[in-house]
Every structure is written in C-alpha cells, then in structure tokens.
Amino acid sequence: MEILFEFLKTTGFAMMTWGNALMIIVGIFFVSLAIIKDYEPLLLLPIGFGAIVGNIPSIDSMALNVYQEGSVLSFLYLGVSKGIYPPLIFLGIGAMTDFSAMLSNPKLVLLGAAAQIGIFLTLIGALYLGFSPSESGAIGIIGGADGPTAIFLSSKLAPHLLGSIAIAAYSYMALVPVIQPPIMRLLTTKKERLIRMKEPRHVSQREKIIFPVAVFLISALIAPGSIVLIGMLCLGNLLKESCVTERLANTARNAMIDTVTIILGFSVGASAQAQTFLTSQSLLVFALGAISFGIATAGGVVFAKCMNLFLKDKINPLIGAAGVSAVPDSARVVQMVGQKEDPHNFLLMHAMAPNVAGVLGSAIAAGILWSIFVK
Amino acid sequence: MEILFEFLKTTGFAMMTWGNALMIIVGIFFVSLAIIKDYEPLLLLPIGFGAIVGNIPSIDSMALNVYQEGSVLSFLYLGVSKGIYPPLIFLGIGAMTDFSAMLSNPKLVLLGAAAQIGIFLTLIGALYLGFSPSESGAIGIIGGADGPTAIFLSSKLAPHLLGSIAIAAYSYMALVPVIQPPIMRLLTTKKERLIRMKEPRHVSQREKIIFPVAVFLISALIAPGSIVLIGMLCLGNLLKESCVTERLANTARNAMIDTVTIILGFSVGASAQAQTFLTSQSLLVFALGAISFGIATAGGVVFAKCMNLFLKDKINPLIGAAGVSAVPDSARVVQMVGQKEDPHNFLLMHAMAPNVAGVLGSAIAAGILWSIFVK
Amino acid sequence: MEILFEFLKTTGFAMMTWGNALMIIVGIFFVSLAIIKDYEPLLLLPIGFGAIVGNIPSIDSMALNVYQEGSVLSFLYLGVSKGIYPPLIFLGIGAMTDFSAMLSNPKLVLLGAAAQIGIFLTLIGALYLGFSPSESGAIGIIGGADGPTAIFLSSKLAPHLLGSIAIAAYSYMALVPVIQPPIMRLLTTKKERLIRMKEPRHVSQREKIIFPVAVFLISALIAPGSIVLIGMLCLGNLLKESCVTERLANTARNAMIDTVTIILGFSVGASAQAQTFLTSQSLLVFALGAISFGIATAGGVVFAKCMNLFLKDKINPLIGAAGVSAVPDSARVVQMVGQKEDPHNFLLMHAMAPNVAGVLGSAIAAGILWSIFVK
Amino acid sequence: MNSGVQNIVNGQGIMITISGMLIVFAALAITSFFIYLLPIFLRIFASILPAEETSHHIPAFYSAPEDEALAAIGFALHSEAGGSMVGKESF
Amino acid sequence: MNSGVQNIVNGQGIMITISGMLIVFAALAITSFFIYLLPIFLRIFASILPAEETSHHIPAFYSAPEDEALAAIGFALHSEAGGSMVGKESF
Amino acid sequence: MNSGVQNIVNGQGIMITISGMLIVFAALAITSFFIYLLPIFLRIFASILPAEETSHHIPAFYSAPEDEALAAIGFALHSEAGGSMVGKESF
Ligand code: NA
Ligand code: NA
Ligand code: NA
C-alpha cells in the first residue's frame, strides 16, 4: 500500500493551498464571465481555463507548470515570454482591420493619441506607489487597452509582472462596456452627445494600399521600439488591402490568429499561479489598471471637446472615448451611449477612426517606453 | 571522375543496410494499409511515409535524420520528444468530441476505467520480461489504445522506446476492427449480445459546458500527471461547447490538429530507423502491445457483465469493449458486432460513452504512471 | 527635456544610413511590383515589406533585427536559418501539385533535368569570380528557379549569402515572364514554335498514388541530400492523391503553407539589411542569378531540340523552357509564347510536365551540391 | 535478465496495478457521480438561474449586427468573409 | 518604499509623460497630415498614374483562367477547392 | 582574388558540373523510365489486383454514415461542420 500512499502525497488535494483554490475560483469566474456575459470570450475563456490549469498543484519533479524548464507549458509560454505571440496577433488583426473610417477623417486620428495619456499618468501613479521605473512603464501600458501590446512590453520591461499586467489589461478590456459609459456621460453635456457627424467620404483602394506602408514608416522612424508590433499590423493590413495576397490575409486572420490566440490566452492564464500572482503588487497593478482605463477614456473625451473649440464641423465628443485601442468594443460603447440620447445617431463608423488610431497610438507609446527603459 | 566516385559513396544505395530496406518495406506496408484498408489513414500514412524517409541512409555530416542535432527533422521531432504535440492533438480532439452520450448515462463511465486494466497487466508482463519499471510503465500505456497519450508518457519515461511504443500503439489502434471482435464474441453469450439499451436522455447545453471544467478538476486533482493532456482536452471541449468561441474551436479541430497530425506522424515514423528500431526490445514491445489490447477489451467486457449483476436496466456487455480510448473505432466495432446478431440494435451512441470515458481513463492512467516513475 | 533628446537619438531618423534608405526604397519597389504587376505577390509582398522593416535603424540594446539574439524577428528567422520553412513549403506544394501531365508523358521529365545546367554553369561562373566552392554552389542554385530550394541550400552552404541568394531567386522567379520569352524565341524557329503535341493519355489514380513513393525512393537513394525537400513534397502529394487523408492535404496546402509563406517571406526580407546586404558580393550574386536563369531556359529549349532528332512525335521545343522549377509561371510563359504563333495551340498542360520535373530536378541538384560541399 | 517473477516483485508490479486501478476507478467513479448529480443540481438551481436559451446564440463571425444602422448612414461596409471592420470579437 | 513624490522625481515621471505624449502626438499628427494629403497627391498624380480599376481583381485561388483552353484539349483538370494543377500562385 | 580560371580548376568546377548533370539526369531518367513502366506493370497485375474503383471514395469528414441508424434511435446527433460525435477519423 506504500505506493498508494506515496501517490496520494502527489495528488493535488494534498498540496493545494488557499491561494491555488482562490485562483481556480477566479479562473472559473473568468470562464463564466466569457460564457454568460460574452465579455471578450476569445481571450477570457482561454485565460480563465489557463488559470485553473496553472493552479493545480503538483510535485516539482514532474515539470508541469509554465515556470519549470522542459515542461510542455514552458514551451508554449516561450511565445509569451519572448514576445513572439503579440506580433503574430497583430498580423492577424491587421488582416482584419479596415482603416477606411480613419482615412476618411484624418483629424480623428488625434483622439487616438490623446487617450494614451492614460498610459503616462498611470506610469506616474506607479512610480508614486514605489514601483521601479521600468515596472511603472509596463504597468502604465495597461492604459493602452491593448492586450498584445501589454504582453509585448511587459515581457521586455517587467517579465515578473507579465501575468498580472496581461490579465489586468484583458480584464478591463472585457469591462469596457462597464467602465467607459459613466465617465463619458460625466464629461459631456446632453447637447454634445446629440451632435451628429458628417457622413465620411469614400476612400479609394489606392489610399488603403499606400496607408499601411506610410504609417509604418512614420511610426517606426519616430519610435523604433514599435517596429515589430506596427510592422506586423501593417503587413497584415497590406496583405488584406493589396487584393493580390487574399489567401495569405485569409489565413492570417483565421487559422493563424486563432491558433495563437488559444495558446497565448491559455499560457498567460497558466502563468497566473497563486505563488507568483497573489501578491500585493498584483493588487496594485489591478488598481492602477482600472484608473488608467478611466484616465484614457477621459483623455479622449476631453481632447475631443478641446478640438471642437477650433472646428467648424463639430465632433461628437463621445467618440473620444474610442481613442483607447479596445477594438471594436470601445466604438460599440460610443454607438450605444450615443443612441441612448438619439436612437437615429449612428456614431459607430466615426468611432472606428479613433479606435484603430488608438491601436497605433498604444503601440507607439509602448515603443517609446521600451526605448526609454531598455538597459 | 573522383568527385563522381566520392559522391557515389554518399548515395543511399552504397550505405543501405538490410534493416533499412526492411523498414522501408514496413513503411510502404503501412502506407498501403492506410490507403487500401482505410485503417487510421490520418496516422498510418504519415507514419509509414516517415519510416520510409527515416530509413534512407546518409552520411553523418549531412545531418538529415531526427537524431542528428541541427537537422530539419530533429526540429520537427522536438515536438515529439518534448511531449508538445500530444497535448495539441488533445486540444483538437476536445474541440471535436461530444460528451453527450456519456453525460446521459453516467454509469457507463466506469467501463472506461475497467478497460485500463490492459495498461497495468501489460506493465506486469513487461517487468516479467526484464524491462525496467519505467520502461514497463511506458510499454503498458499501449493498452490505453491512445496514440498521443502513449507518445506523451514514453517521452517522459522511456524516450529510447518512444518509436516502438508509438508505432505499436497506432498499429494496434488501426487493427481494432481485427483484434476486438473475436474477444468480444468469446466473452459474451448470444443473449447478452442481443440486449437492447434504453434510449439516452437529452443533455442540456449547460451540462455540456460545466462538464469539461468539472472533469478537469477531478482528474487533475487526483492525478496531476494528467494535467496537460486532460487540460487541453477539456479546454478544446469548452471552446466547442461554450458557443462563444466557435471560431477558436473550429481552428483547433481543423487547421491546428491537421498540421500537428502530419508533423507528429511523419516525425514519429522517421524516428523508426532500423538502427534503433530493429531490436529484440521492439519485438517484445509489439508482442506486449498486442496482448495489452486484448486484455483491455476483455477487461471492459467482463466488467460490463459484472455490472449487469447489480443493474435492473441491463447493459449490453459488448459496449464494454469500447472502454479503450480508440475513438470512434471501438464504438463502431461494437455497433458492427451487435448488428451481426440483431441488425436493428443500434449500440453506437451507447458505445460512445465508454469510448470517450476511455480517453479520460487512459490519460489519467498515464498521469498516475508518470507520478509513480518520475525520478 | 533630456529624456526627449535622449529619445530623439534612438529614433530611426537619427541613425538612418543611405544604405537603409536605399533598401527601404527597394522594399517599396518589390511591394509595388507585387501589387501593380502581380509578379509572385505571395512572396514579393512579404519580402518587400520585410526589407522595409529590416532597414529601420534602431539602437542595439533593443534587439529588434533578425541578427540580434533574443529579438522576435530572430525567432521567426530561425525557420529560415535552420532550413525548416522550405520543407514545410514543399509539403504544401506537394499537396497542391498534380503530376498527371508528367505521368502521361514520361520523356518530358528529361527536360526538367536539362534545365539544371543553369545551376552548374553558374557555379563555374561564381568560382571564376572568386567565390569559394560552397558559396559558388549556393549561388548556382539560383538557376534552379526555386525559392525554397535556394533558401534550404544556402542555409547549409553559405548562410552569409542567404539573403542575397533568396531575394535574387525570388526576384528572377517573378521576372520569368520577362526573362524567358526572348531566349525562347531566339533559340527556336517559327516552325518549331508551331508544333502541336499529342493529347496526353489519361492517368489512373493508382499511378498517381504509387508515383510519389517511387520518385522519393529514386531521388533519395541517388541524392540523399534531397531527402528532406523531396520527402516533404512527396508526402504532401501522397496526402493529396491517396484520397484517404484529404483533410490533411487541405490544411497543408492552405493554412499551413500560407502561414509559413508569410513568415518566411517577411523574415527573408527583414534579413536584407543594408549593412549586410549592400555589398559587391550581392551585386555579383544578382548578376550571376540573371545569367543562370537564362542558361537554364536555353538548356531546356536546346535539349528539347536535341530530343526531337530522335523522336517521331516531335516535342514543341518551347516547353523545354518550362524545365526550370518556377511552377506554374514557366508553363504559362510557354503557353503564352506558343499562342502568339498559333492561338489554337494549347501547350500549358504539356509544359506542366517539365515544370514539375524541374522542381524535382532542382531539389536533386541541391542535394548533390550539399553532398559535395558539406564539410 | 533476472528471473521474471523476481522482476515483478522488485518493480512492485502488483502494488502498482492495484493502486493504479484503484485511482483510475476513483477518478472515473467521482466523475460518474458528478455527472449523475449535475442535472439534479441544475434542476434545483433552475429557479435562481436564468432560463437556458433554447438555442444558445452561435455568433456569426465578423458579422456586423448594426447592419441596418450602417446601411442608414450609407457607408460601404466591407463585410466579406472574415474581414469586416466592425467585427464581433477582439483579440 | 521612498516617499511617493520623491519616486516620481527620481523616475523622471513628469518628463517621461511630457516627452512621451509629445512623441505620440507627433507620430499621429504626422500620420493624420499624411492621410489628409494622400488623396490630394493622388488626384495630382492621377493624370500620370494609370486609372484605378473600379473593382480590383480578387484572384480566385487556384482557379485556372485557361479553363476554356483546357476544355478544348479535353484534358481533365482537377480544379477542386485548393488543389488545381495550374494554380495562380507559386510559393 | 586568384585568377578566375585557376579558381575554377581549384574548385573542380568542371568535374562538379559533369558529375552533377550526370547524376541529375540519372535520377530523372530512372524516374522517367519508371513512369513509363508503371502503367504496363499495373496492366499486367490488373488480374490479381482488385479492380480500381472508378471514383475512389472521398470521405465526408465527420459525417456520420450511420445517420439512418441514429435517426432510428431518435438521438440528436450534432453533425455540424467538423464537430460530429462519431467522426470518421481518429487522431
Ligand atoms: Na486592441
Ligand atoms: Na484515442
Ligand atoms: Na518553385
């Protein structure tokens, strides 16, 4: 019977800690949120399930978790820790993004810059709370509302916080419909929320083809740290818009991005082990993350109001909230809040402009932070 | 002409051994079996072709085979030797498996446990024949009738036997329609084979969603060694059943599993070089493997008969044979054997219950063996 | 303001060299060629965009380019430098190639051998210009008109020239419709160009299934260096023709090959940094590459004319030009040139025979060169 | 090679078999029991849980549910397979 | 942990924020300006550039545009999804 | 850089070319001959080989060939694309 008793010592029951149990419940909560509330299910479901898997305790000699050399999960996690998955996700996103809305109304691009104030003010907050400068940079990026960018930058600046930062970023991205509306209403008058915007002009295919090459050159020359993310985004978009590589674009935005999404989500979740995740630092990261989303939203809305001081064709300031890069959730929130006031006001397409600009803005901000903090 | 002669010395003809020639013929036999007999073609064809490729002799300095550092095949083989491909296969299998039959008739789950006796009795047989304990564990797993599980466990416990064990497992899985029927008929009476089973009840979507999470927690806490395989199986199933990540499930069960299947089969085949494969050990592995399939089949059938002693609604003991994890071949064999007696008896759906339970059972057994034998 | 100035020093503008600027323009030119002229867009577009990305200058500490250890691009580039992507491309090509034309007219296979003279004469030319023997072998392979084969062989024989050789190979493959016609016209009389060929016979499925196994054995035993490329080509073809693994063939020729194509093209392009690429050696490589394509074309056409001396059913010597492995571009060029003389002469299917034979021929030639030059 | 039976004893073959089968049965018996209880629990909690949708929505990927809205503002939405501008999912 | 404000000063938080926002704005303002100029430039060069095709060809993958031709020579072309012999693309 | 012709001699360029072309031709000539013989052999063995099916079955993936059977027992089979319970293939 010795073998049976020896074996029982290796079971999860015997080694379970309260922290593990709590994280398993958190994982189940994420999965439930994804399924019941339909919040970012493509990410919350794999992350949640990963958190369940990552918190089953096991004896060290079996090499099961993401941090143990030679384990299967450690190989899958390499794509996270080396920053390989985020650019591949960006390739797929590029191949499914239509920049028309942005091309037809270039001034809305600036809203995607304004919302990045969330990143930098959160950085100051993190410094204030005692995080090191490069940790602060990584935490700040949560305000960019972009999961792959957050993973990419954390893997470079603060690998030990990667789990918390990634999960905070995805959690708040899932909560965009909860976080943004009150801030948007608080900062706008009813009259502003009723503003209707001019129908966007038609964009030629030639513009759509030239755009990804041009925007890559601009971003990359100004902030070389954004080369990988924006390079892949623009390559994906060029594959789509060029019309001569449709089959590549199709694979990039389907089989390729789906495969990477499953493995990225699962291994990020599995990295959130109680032992490394349940720390006071993680709590601070989550608190700062929530604040950063609020600031980013406010930044976009307020900047839109400022722009209106100089514009003849007024912008509906609600679309400033779409300056965060949570595509397309933020744009949908704008549409929703706008339609509460006027069911015939269709802001969705207009909001897509700052929304995709926000993706560029947050990737550029990540590149800048990387340049500043790299050793 | 010196170059020509030097070159001729590097050709395959010059270095061919009888062993290589034999293995090439075996490879061609596997390919033929796959194509002509339609036996597990998705695996036997890549494995057979891999065996042909792996047995072309070449000079060492060219680094061509799976065992030579830096060769292309050695990179593809990493996913086998590190145990990475099997969990990915399980992810895809999870995304294509419907657990309804099992959920609607929970007592049939036990048949999936009973059939695992094949694993443990084979382990005893292997010990008897002089294999080391961990080799014996790896050989025993052939009785689980599950290719990915066999590869996973051998890569951990007996990497030097991986080729023989994997090929034995897949060979016998292909031969399920040949191996199982005589044993099934031998152990059952005609009256038993005529038993009709009650129509299964309808299973709600909610049950199907909760199931993968619950079964993962149960298996993983009891046998942490099964975390990776069952974790991926359950993640895949959750992607499918949740209805909110349909695109991920679709990629997992198509592009992802197909790609891994080709490369896994090919590199397993290529690892079966005469020099390492044609040993008396391999012969013993094959002999033990055949026995283990027989025992597993018998174990399931006999256990079903035992259950009938206590049950009011009798089980058709044929479905016990589906307790091995060869999905869906075993279940089809049950249907076939049952219909020979009574063409209007439809056992297929009932047999799917022990069949998918067998997948869980063999993965759990692998986890247990890993825990016991890990150094 | 110090941070701003420090940052400005890290921007691409500050560190840009004339070479980088030139390479970015070359990249844009490639992309334009792909989109406007539709020249090999699946490859020229990712390569061109990669060249743009690879020539954005950055500070060393950020580890951005393919040559810096730990950078994302260096991981993607591993598949190029280790020769892993080319066999995967060949797997997909195998799964989309129909060898019927060749099987129905076996003597045309010899044209695919004749065109490989381009490889060996270019090797002599490269030796003459002072390249080392193994460099000369790698440069010669450009004459095989096969991108994956060129990358595979260069990664083995002359990794430092890989970028130039790959880009030269793909560039000239894109220019096949420009390079080949004048040579074809020069070497043939009008009467020859008007020759109509006999309708090919029907090929049975059984022949198509046996062929990939047989041709693999023949090629691999004669030139073991071609095992990996031809092995994968034949496996892919067997997956397609066997009719029992259709789902694997489908994934191989779609999601799998597309994913590898994007990443291969992008990382080859990104490896073409001005610092390593803009050398006099590269210029020589390009010059030799152009010559090799010309010789290969001439070799095929002249050999076809020689064969006609002995044949009753004359071959249209134009199809000799399809002996290079640029599938299906060369075959289309033959069709086009033939139709200029006689719009009712359909040479396409006939030209496919030497064309697919050329793929085999160039892979075999690569295997031979690898055997000869491997240390 | 030692005597076969001695190998089994040394390798604790019998103990491994008994323990192993016990654990496999334990895991699947608990699973079986859980599956048995699951619909009962769901029925008990049915009153507090929201009614299950008879046909759980299967999202049309990258379809744009605001189509009518968009049509209204007359903006050409490229909703070709897999590449709409306003997809359902984000990554 | 130092005093929070001191941390911000040591970490140059304010400077990073100002510089960072300046650079983000610079990049996106240039992008915005480029987008604004792009159609103007394209209109200027319209005369020298070829007329844009209204519906840029989207290649039917692996379709064989020579179908008629092939039909004429009566050769069975296997043009099932994704696996034609005379595809459009090469790799 | 040495004299070019000397490089060729040192590098055995001519020998490599002759040997290389010989081997390439040998490989493809054997292939060609094999292809030529193949239908002849197949015809000779036609009597002992089973008749080739005119349309070799192309399996409908994950279709359930027992559909009628299943319908008979009235069990809802989810046979949506790619995800049936009783697939054709196992992995
Ligand atoms: Na985003
Ligand atoms: Na199985
Ligand atoms: Na080619």
Short mmCIF file of all heavy atoms in Angstrom, two decimals, chain A residues 93 145-148 173 325-327 359, chain D residues 91, ligand 1:
data_model
loop_
_atom_site.label_atom_id
_atom_site.label_comp_id
_atom_site.label_asym_id
_atom_site.label_seq_id
_atom_site.Cartn_x
_atom_site.Cartn_y
_atom_site.Cartn_z
N ILE A 93 -4.71 40.82 -36.76
CA ILE A 93 -5.58 42.00 -36.58
C ILE A 93 -5.45 42.91 -37.79
O ILE A 93 -6.44 43.42 -38.31
CB ILE A 93 -5.22 42.75 -35.28
CG1 ILE A 93 -5.61 41.90 -34.06
CG2 ILE A 93 -5.90 44.10 -35.23
CD1 ILE A 93 -5.21 42.50 -32.72
N ALA A 145 -5.04 49.81 -23.24
CA ALA A 145 -6.21 48.97 -23.52
C ALA A 145 -5.92 47.99 -24.64
O ALA A 145 -6.77 47.69 -25.47
CB ALA A 145 -7.43 49.81 -23.87
N ASP A 146 -4.70 47.50 -24.70
CA ASP A 146 -4.34 46.60 -25.79
C ASP A 146 -3.58 45.40 -25.22
O ASP A 146 -2.43 45.54 -24.80
CB ASP A 146 -3.49 47.36 -26.80
CG ASP A 146 -3.43 46.62 -28.11
OD1 ASP A 146 -2.70 45.60 -28.17
OD2 ASP A 146 -4.12 47.02 -29.05
N GLY A 147 -4.23 44.26 -25.24
CA GLY A 147 -3.63 43.06 -24.65
C GLY A 147 -2.29 42.67 -25.24
O GLY A 147 -1.30 42.54 -24.50
N PRO A 148 -2.20 42.48 -26.56
CA PRO A 148 -0.91 42.07 -27.11
C PRO A 148 0.21 43.07 -26.83
O PRO A 148 1.34 42.69 -26.50
CB PRO A 148 -1.18 41.97 -28.62
CG PRO A 148 -2.66 41.77 -28.74
CD PRO A 148 -3.26 42.50 -27.57
N MET A 173 -10.30 45.32 -20.54
CA MET A 173 -10.82 45.38 -21.91
C MET A 173 -12.20 44.72 -21.96
O MET A 173 -13.10 45.18 -22.66
CB MET A 173 -9.88 44.66 -22.87
CG MET A 173 -8.68 45.50 -23.27
SD MET A 173 -7.35 44.48 -23.97
CE MET A 173 -8.17 43.89 -25.47
N SER A 325 -7.46 51.52 -27.41
CA SER A 325 -7.35 50.59 -28.54
C SER A 325 -8.19 49.32 -28.40
O SER A 325 -7.93 48.33 -29.07
CB SER A 325 -5.88 50.24 -28.78
OG SER A 325 -5.50 49.13 -28.04
N ALA A 326 -9.21 49.37 -27.54
CA ALA A 326 -10.06 48.18 -27.41
C ALA A 326 -11.01 48.11 -28.61
O ALA A 326 -12.13 48.60 -28.56
CB ALA A 326 -10.83 48.21 -26.10
N VAL A 327 -10.49 47.53 -29.70
CA VAL A 327 -11.26 47.44 -30.95
C VAL A 327 -12.05 46.15 -30.97
O VAL A 327 -11.48 45.08 -30.72
CB VAL A 327 -10.31 47.46 -32.17
CG1 VAL A 327 -11.10 47.32 -33.46
CG2 VAL A 327 -9.46 48.73 -32.18
N VAL A 359 -5.02 51.88 -31.53
CA VAL A 359 -4.13 50.73 -31.64
C VAL A 359 -2.72 51.20 -32.01
O VAL A 359 -1.73 50.80 -31.40
CB VAL A 359 -4.64 49.72 -32.70
CG1 VAL A 359 -3.65 48.59 -32.88
CG2 VAL A 359 -6.01 49.19 -32.29
N PHE D 91 -9.16 40.71 -30.12
CA PHE D 91 -8.12 39.75 -29.76
C PHE D 91 -7.16 40.34 -28.73
O PHE D 91 -6.99 41.52 -28.66
CB PHE D 91 -7.35 39.33 -31.02
CG PHE D 91 -8.14 38.41 -31.90
CD1 PHE D 91 -9.00 38.91 -32.85
CD2 PHE D 91 -8.06 37.04 -31.74
CE1 PHE D 91 -9.74 38.07 -33.64
CE2 PHE D 91 -8.79 36.21 -32.53
CZ PHE D 91 -9.64 36.71 -33.48
NA NA G 1 -6.78 46.02 -29.04
#
